[in-house]
Amino acid sequence: MIRPLMLATSALALSACAVGPTYMSPETAAPAQNAFLEQGKSPAFTGDQPPGEWWSLFGDPTLDALVEQALAANTDLRVAAANLRQARAVLQEARAGRLPTTNIGASAGYARQPGATTGGFGPVEGENYDVGLDVGYQIDLFGRVGSAIRAADADADAVQAAFDLTRITIAAETTRAYADVCSFNRQLVVAQNTLRIQERTFDLTRRLFEGGRATRLETGQAGALLEQTRAALPSLEAERSAALYRLAVLTGRPPSEAPQAALACQSPPELDQAIPVGEGASLLARRPDIRRAERQLAASSARVNVATADLYPSISIGGSVGSTATSIGGIGSSDSFRFSLGPLISWSFPNMAVARSRVRQAEAGADAALATFDGTWLTALQETESALARYAGELDRLAALRRAAVEAGEAARIARLRYEAGRENFQVVLEAERTQAQIEATIAQSEQQRSNNLVTVFLALGGGWQEPLPPV
């Protein structure tokens, strides 16, 4: 009886097949395979693929060292690495579902059995000893175990993508913090240069006032403009310190150990070449958030198969060998040897509504994951196009501001000369110097915005994930 049953079970195992939908990645259907719209509008971009360590394009050894430190010691990255190790351990647990389960047991006891269970010969009491090995193996007839493994595998890939996303974000934010330190250094230099110019103007008005050629109103206006410029210095120094402290934490150090080497940078990083941006198709492969969304969709699809498999019987093969005796000395004797072998079939047929509800839950989760994937790549395209547009726009704005600065500087110089010669009203000088100071300050702010926009471009492009990952 057992042999035919075992043969039938083996035949079922050989014909096992997964139930539920077959997963196909939607990446190839995503309409993002062409060049970026902004790429054709500005010579600031090329269609070449962006490099992995994009921050090396700046040629700044200090920045390279800071990014390397951040990738080695950042606390968010350590958390992401721990999450990745956990996901891989879950995957190993799921793969272990294909292996047989084993259980070794031993028991000893003293019991009394009533006569009704001993054939009417009166109660029997005495010692009982048992040692045995139980082995069980689940036949994955309907693909439940295989689908669970695929789900865990996709989950691990999604966590890997999350790790990659954290990595490129840390590299980008470290570069941004460094650029901010450089930018505030530059703004301090501009403010100090403006301060020296306005100090000379104030000294000029004071001398003219003492000589009877200027009024107290003019010296007061010159002094007010001077102090207004001086008042900007403490705020710029505070913002520089804040950026330096942010840089310290990004590199895994307390603010008291902020990298002082960054203070030597006097201008924000910039590129003297067109930026390689690739195209939409490569963006889908580079962006870790898109890869994470696709893997989460694959995991949700596999869970639909897991839930569908619950609609069908669960079949396992079990075996047991052991020794049972009434005395400890009898353990291991031929008379005490026992064994059993046979299949076990379980099926929640009377309560299929529960299983079908779980299928519907899994299908709804897969639909949500698909919508999330679609939203992720749409957002990725939006972020990339917007970042390219803002960077190109800031380049044009900065070029115009620099032209304006040349004109404003010349106008202020002429106004001071004419005022000193008594041929111009002081209001003209005051307005010319105020305009010059505003334009110079705006240029320094625009340079900072250009650097921030450039970092955002590389972050939107998913730059940095191609590099070898640190051990986890």
Side-chain angles (χ1 to χ4, degrees):
M1 177 64 182
I2 292 179
R3 180 176 176 81
L5 189 56
M6 293 297 296
L7 291 174
T9 303
S10 301
L12 287 174
L14 292 174
S15 62
C17 60
V19 293
T22 300
Y23 176 72
M24 295 183 62
S25 174
E27 284 185 330
T28 56
Q33 314 300 324
N34 301 320
F36 297 114
L37 297 175
E38 293 295 327
Q39 181 180 332
K41 298 180 181 180
S42 172
F45 312 116
T46 70
D48 298 334
Q49 295 301 317
E53 294 184 350
W54 53 265
W55 51 89
S56 64
L57 294 176
F58 296 118
D60 190 330
T62 300
L63 174 59
D64 294 341
L66 289 170
V67 173
E68 183 178 352
Q69 292 170 18
L71 295 179
N74 182 267
T75 54
D76 289 340
L77 201 55
R78 287 163 53 195
V79 171
N83 291 338
L84 182 55
R85 290 195 301 270
Q86 182 182 34
R88 288 173 175 172
V90 171
L91 174 58
Q92 291 174 352
E93 178 184 358
R95 287 173 175 169
R98 290 197 181 278
L99 301 176
T101 59
T102 59
N103 180 53
I104 298 176
S107 64
Y110 186 89
R112 175 186 173 95
Q113 296 181 357
T117 62
T118 61
F121 296 102
V124 175
E125 64 178 71
E127 299 175 355
N128 183 68
Y129 299 90
D130 183 80
V131 176
L133 169 65
D134 297 328
V135 179
Y137 177 73
Q138 182 177 354
I139 299 176
D140 196 19
L141 182 59
F142 300 103
R144 186 184 189 282
V145 175
S147 297
I149 293 174
R150 288 194 298 275
D153 194 10
D155 283 337
D157 289 343
V159 177
Q160 174 71 69
F163 176 89
D164 296 343
L165 179 59
T166 302
R167 187 176 187 274
I168 69 170
T169 301
I170 294 304
E173 291 308 313
T174 300
T175 305
R176 197 190 306 274
Y178 176 76
D180 285 345
V181 173
C182 300
S183 297
F184 288 120
N185 278 338
R186 170 64 177 158
Q187 292 179 49
L188 280 168
V189 170
V190 170
Q192 289 163 353
N193 290 338
T194 300
L195 195 63
R196 283 192 289 270
I197 293 173
Q198 293 174 351
E199 283 175 342
R200 289 198 297 269
T201 301
F202 177 70
D203 289 340
L204 172 62
T205 58
R206 187 172 55 187
R207 290 195 305 270
L208 292 177
F209 173 72
E210 292 171 351
R213 294 176 53 194
T215 66
R216 182 66 182 83
L217 174 62
E218 293 172 345
T219 59
Q221 289 175 324
L225 185 60
L226 173 64
E227 293 304 322
Q228 184 179 4
T229 301
R230 184 176 284 122
L233 296 178
S235 296
L236 292 175
E237 290 172 349
E239 291 298 329
R240 180 182 63 183
S241 296
L244 194 64
Y245 299 150
R246 189 168 81 250
L247 186 58
V249 173
L250 283 165
T251 53
R253 292 180 288 186
S256 60
E257 299 178 11
Q260 300 301 308
L263 292 175
C265 177
Q266 295 300 312
S267 61
E270 62 177 314
L271 292 181
D272 56 359
Q273 63 184 61
I275 301 176
V277 298
E279 78 291 327
S282 61
L283 179 70
L284 293 176
R286 283 196 312 268
R287 288 270 300 221
D289 54 343
I290 296 178
R291 289 187 285 117
R292 180 178 60 183
E294 189 277 329
R295 290 289 80 200
Q296 289 173 337
L297 175 58
S300 296
S301 178
R303 290 190 177 94
V304 173
N305 293 351
V306 172
T308 304
D310 287 339
L311 296 173
Y312 299 88
S314 175
I315 302 175
S316 60
I317 300 176
S320 174
V321 294
S323 179
T324 302
T326 58
S327 66
I328 193 163
I331 294 295
S333 65
S334 59
D335 291 341
S336 67
F337 178 73
R338 61 173 175 81
F339 77 91
S340 66
L341 180 65
L344 173 65
I345 301 177
S346 62
W347 192 9
S348 59
F349 180 81
N351 197 10
M352 295 293 285
V354 173
R356 295 189 184 280
S357 295
R358 289 173 181 166
V359 172
R360 288 193 292 271
Q361 292 173 33
E363 289 173 341
D367 290 342
L370 177 59
T372 299
F373 172 80
D374 290 340
T376 300
W377 68 258
L378 284 173
T379 301
L381 288 176
Q382 173 202 332
E383 290 176 352
T384 304
E385 294 284 10
S386 298
L388 295 177
R390 291 187 178 114
Y391 176 73
E394 197 63 40
L395 287 181
D396 293 341
R397 176 173 180 259
L398 183 56
L401 285 171
R402 285 171 173 167
R403 292 192 297 269
V406 173
E407 299 296 333
E410 181 65 11
R413 185 187 68 83
I414 294 173
R416 281 191 295 271
L417 291 175
R418 290 176 61 84
Y419 172 69
E420 189 174 3
R423 296 193 301 175
E424 193 65 79
N425 188 288
F426 182 68
Q427 292 297 327
V428 175
V429 178
L430 196 67
E431 186 60 32
E433 290 192 348
R434 181 182 290 112
T435 299
Q436 182 184 16
Q438 289 175 344
I439 292 176
E440 292 291 348
T442 303
I443 287 176
Q445 294 167 1
S446 178
E447 290 173 345
Q448 181 181 20
Q449 188 61 53
R450 178 202 58 198
S451 295
N452 281 331
N453 288 352
L454 182 55
V455 172
T456 302
V457 166
F458 283 117
L459 184 59
L461 292 172
W465 70 269
Q466 301 97 325
E467 295 305 306
L469 299 174
V472 295

